[in-house]
């Protein structure tokens, strides 16, 4: 279990520069980031309280007490609500939070909240609860801190990628056996879960739930056959790919809160020339762009190289909006790999690289890898073969 | 595919009473409720636009176009962003939404938004975009409308419950075979997925993702053995229940956006008297409370009957905070079955009934069913046997 996290110190440095006294994190990914605790469902909020100086604390519903104590690296855990014999600070989080901030001398502080997540109603409750405080947006500060991963997060990403590789092998085999989208999806999910259960006794594969729902298992695979590739994302159906069609296989995994993604296009029988050329071209372009994956490259240069590669091959009409995204606690996290993002790559960043083609009615490709930026360049964490033809 | 939804008319009636001209729904569950479209991941927002009068519309990212057209019952679909050859209203949702509202004469309207979900940053963008509009909270109106289910939603809940029953049978069998928490979880998830794939060709089991993540498959089972029952929710481990211990099995399913929940306590070998008495008592109390599940009963009377039942058996020190919750598009949705909620039961409501005991260090029970309120009383949608002893 982590007891001190470099990410916490990096965030505190940014807090001090920006003049924030404390951050109150309500977003599931962020409260996990600052506490190591994921209750899986967030209908009762988990609040991470990180002061710029002094000890961090957390506030949770009483029913989460035993689970939180087994998971978090925070020492100071406070409870709200009612649950059997648990002693709590009061029936709701509002009164408990006010007491905690008053105790810490932070009731009139400059408080950072995540305006990209915090619902309007909760923001109003906070303002009424703490009339002497002032509130500022800490969303960007937290997302920027999350961009560069800590060593434990990178280790989890490697494990998530190993699970994804296992899933891809099972998925391709299911295509080879003539399976439907659902067969492919189920075979890959079963293989990934078995691999996880057998090899990672102490790691969790739950995802982050929402305000209304949970996410007990985040080892997901789905597949889209033929024209259904244009859907980009959909629940798998009983459709089987026919000879001459491609099927896209999309695998998303998570280990201890950190995601990996691997997506491939599998040809069933011989593709016609247009489909084959699209797929070959995308792999070439991906390989060209990958040479730019190293510290110092601006993200929009990755998009620019993709655009140039597509234009050079006569695909200039079919530009995507982006060619990947950050990945970590979010399956899709900041930033977008697009034409506008000037952020420079740094060691420890993890991105998906997924330049793809959609030629309506003609051809679609699906290719995505999870890539770690290193001191010397990059390391592909997902390692499935680029392309499988004639499965 | 639904073409008109009674829920939409019920909501419109409430809108007119409250003086709302239009609702802009950004919450995943709500935009699905009003459009029938779930993109599975919400990093690009889906906006459902429901005017009090006139035709509804929706605004989505261009990359979701093909998927949305195959799923939604809304005719007027507009696009933002950039994606291959798709023609969009502009690079971002803000400008596109402004144009749509201006076209509909709603740019200076009274606009309902969900303040229980809408992030502060988005609310500010809306206010800046539409300086002539006024904004009111529509959260409660939408959650109240969601409480009573439409016929298609009830059919989906029945299917979700059938899948849960299948999972419970597989889970109990895995316990009988000496499996660990993970073995139980994996066996149940595999059985549920196979049952879904074979029996529900046209139904989806994806869940609602979040702003950063997706949820491709929401057929979940987990198990907590022995003392781990006090965790209430956790990712399954390799722990096996020992003789004399109980193991809780928790199954959550979803079909076309509607959830079901079934939870059971399975004894391995003979339980000691305290554990056995706790489990027997909870089943008795659940049966007493179930007689009150009928139209006209206030929800706090359900909590009251549970409290009385616990006190009568000497368990008054171990009261839970609530004994269930609404279920539907949310796995945990409004309302809580607690001491404060005076809502009267109505036909078409679906609830979980889960009075449970936590006697720290001594005994824990886990029992939950998904129950439909009918004209004449109630119908248990989940049908696993109440208790399995000596597995």
């Amino acid at each position: 279990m982590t007891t001190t996290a470099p990410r916490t110190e990096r965030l505190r440095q940014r807090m001090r520069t920006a003049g924030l006294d404390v951050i109150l994190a309500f977003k599931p990914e962020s409260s996990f980031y600052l506490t190591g605790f994921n209750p899986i469902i967030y209908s009762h909020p988990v609040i991470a309280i990180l002061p710029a100086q002094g000890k961090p604390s957390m506030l949770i519903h009483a029913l989460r007490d035993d689970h939180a104590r087994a998971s978090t690296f925070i020492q100071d855990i406070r409870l709200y609500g009612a649950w059997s014999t648990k002693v709590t600070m009061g029936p709701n989080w509002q009164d408990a939070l006010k007491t905690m901030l008053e105790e810490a001398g932070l009731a009139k502080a400059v408080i950072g909240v995540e305006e990209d997540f915090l619902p309007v109603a909760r923001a109003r409750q906070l303002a009424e609860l703490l009339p002497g405080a002032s509130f500022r947006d800490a969303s960007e500060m937290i997302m920027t801190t999350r961009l560069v991963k800590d060593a434990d997060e990178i280790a989890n990403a490697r494990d998530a990628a190993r699970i994804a590789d296992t899933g891809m092998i099972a998925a391709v085999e299911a295509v080879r056996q003539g399976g439907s989208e659902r067969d492919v999806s189920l075979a890959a999910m079963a293989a990934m879960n078995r691999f996880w259960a057998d090899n990672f006794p102490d790691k969790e594969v739950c995802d982050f739930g929402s305000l209304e729902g949970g996410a007990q298992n985040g080892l997901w695979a789905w597949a889209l056959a033929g024209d259904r590739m244009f859907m980009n994302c959909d629940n798998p159906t009983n459709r089987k790919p026919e000879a001459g069609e491609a099927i896209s296989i999309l695998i998303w995994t998570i280990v201890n809160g950190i995601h990996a993604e691997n997506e491939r296009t599998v040809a069933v029988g011989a593709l016609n020339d247009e489909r084959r050329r699209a797929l070959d071209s995308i792999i070439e372009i991906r390989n060209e762009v990958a040479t730019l994956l190293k510290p110092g490259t601006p993200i929009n240069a990755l998009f620019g190289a993709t655009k140039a590669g597509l234009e050079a091959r006569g695909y200039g009409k079919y530009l995507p909006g982006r060619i990947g995204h950050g990945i970590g606690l979010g399956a899709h996290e900041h930033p977008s790999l697009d034409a506008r993002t000037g952020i420079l790559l740094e060691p420890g960043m993890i991105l998906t690289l997924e330049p793809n083609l959609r030629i309506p009615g003609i051809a679609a490709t699906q290719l995505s890898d999870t890539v770690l930026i290193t001191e010397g360049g990059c390391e592909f964490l997902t390692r499935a073969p680029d392309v499988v033809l004639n499965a």
Side-chain angles (χ1 to χ4, degrees), chain A:
Chain A
M1 189 183 298
T2 313
T3 52
T4 57
R7 50 188 173 273
T8 305
E9 287 317 308
R10 292 204 310 276
L11 180 57
R12 283 180 150 175
Q13 186 54 51
R14 291 195 164 94
M15 290 169 68
R16 289 188 284 265
T17 302
L20 292 190
D21 297 317
V22 61
I23 280 178
L24 303 179
F26 286 79
K27 189 198 274 189
E29 292 84 354
S30 302
S31 60
F32 175 80
Y33 192 59
L34 299 176
T35 69
F37 174 55
N38 175 10
I40 305 179
I41 182 163
Y42 288 82
S43 43
H44 299 292
V46 172
I47 309 172
I49 301 158
L50 179 70
Q53 318 278 351
K55 74 179 174 163
S57 56
M58 64 191 286
L59 176 60
I60 53 171
H61 191 280
L63 88 108
R64 306 284 175 227
D65 186 32
D66 295 35
H67 185 196
R69 283 177 201 282
S71 310
T72 184
F73 51 82
I74 298 291
Q75 270 87 52
D76 185 9
I77 304 169
R78 310 289 183 95
L79 308 181
Y80 66 87
W83 196 251
S84 186
T85 57
K86 296 287 179 192
V87 178
T88 77
M89 297 180 70
N92 59 53
W93 62 265
Q94 290 90 336
D95 296 336
L97 181 62
K98 182 173 184 159
T99 303
M100 289 175 74
L101 291 174
E102 282 172 350
E103 266 180 27
L106 290 168
K108 297 184 178 176
V110 180
I111 297 178
V113 293
E114 293 172 282
E115 295 190 347
D116 68 352
F117 173 83
L118 191 71
V120 171
R122 280 199 189 155
R124 185 180 303 122
Q125 289 173 313
L126 287 175
E128 286 169 4
L129 206 62
L130 303 162
S134 61
F135 295 91
R136 296 209 199 139
D137 187 15
S139 309
E140 195 179 334
M141 182 184 300
I142 293 175
M143 291 312 287
T144 300
T145 306
R146 279 172 51 183
L147 253 176
V148 176
K149 271 62 179 175
D150 281 348
D152 60 329
E153 297 181 298
I154 292 170
N156 290 329
R158 284 184 205 284
D159 289 341
R162 282 182 65 201
I163 294 175
D165 289 346
T166 303
M168 187 58 77
I169 291 166
V172 170
E173 180 56 29
V175 173
R176 207 184 301 274
Q177 290 178 14
S180 68
E181 291 176 357
R182 287 190 185 180
D183 293 329
V184 171
S185 166
L186 269 50
M189 292 197 298
M192 293 193 290
N193 273 294
R194 196 69 259 163
F195 186 70
W196 160 65
D198 291 343
N199 293 285
F200 301 98
D202 300 322
K203 302 233 171 180
E204 297 197 333
V205 295
C206 49
D207 209 323
F208 299 101
S210 66
L211 303 180
E212 296 195 27
Q216 258 292 329
N217 187 295
L219 304 183
W220 283 308
W222 69 102
L224 298 163
D227 284 350
R228 282 179 39 80
M229 289 180 71
F230 293 103
M231 298 276 194
N232 299 312
C233 187
D234 193 14
N235 215 220
T237 68
N238 285 328
R239 170 108 150 66
K240 295 182 182 187
E242 293 169 17
E245 284 187 334
I247 179 169
S248 57
I249 298 170
L250 303 96
I251 294 187
W252 291 15
T253 60
I254 186 168
V255 167
N256 283 2
I258 301 292
H259 293 81
E261 170 180 318
N262 187 222
E263 300 174 355
R264 289 290 183 263
T265 304
V266 178
V268 176
L271 295 182
N272 65 26
D273 287 350
E274 282 165 317
R275 289 177 181 162
R276 178 64 191 257
R277 184 168 170 264
L279 193 50
D280 289 345
S281 297
I282 280 299
I283 292 167
E284 288 169 15
I285 292 169
R286 199 278 317 273
N287 291 343
E288 290 164 17
V289 175
T291 64
L292 303 174
L293 289 173
K294 57 191 175 193
T297 300
I299 279 177
N300 49 19
L302 306 174
F303 187 86
T306 305
K307 181 168 180 282
L310 288 168
E311 286 169 347
R313 289 165 179 85
Y315 293 132
K317 270 168 54 186
Y318 309 112
L319 299 183
R322 65 180 188 182
I323 59 155
H325 47 77
I327 187 166
L329 297 174
H332 281 190
E333 77 176 30
H334 174 74
S336 270
L337 274 52
D338 61 24
R340 292 179 303 281
T341 304
I343 295 170
L344 304 183
L345 296 181
E346 286 178 49
M349 289 182 178
I350 304 184
L351 307 169
T352 66
L353 181 60
E354 39 183 332
N356 277 308
L357 259 177
R358 293 282 178 278
I359 309 175
I362 306 288
T365 70
Q366 197 79 34
L367 187 73
S368 178
D369 284 281
T370 302
V371 186
L372 170 70
I373 307 300
T374 61
E375 295 287 345
C378 74
E379 177 189 334
F380 275 61
L381 301 181
T382 46
R383 297 181 178 186
D386 279 341
V387 62
V388 183
L389 291 171
N390 305 313

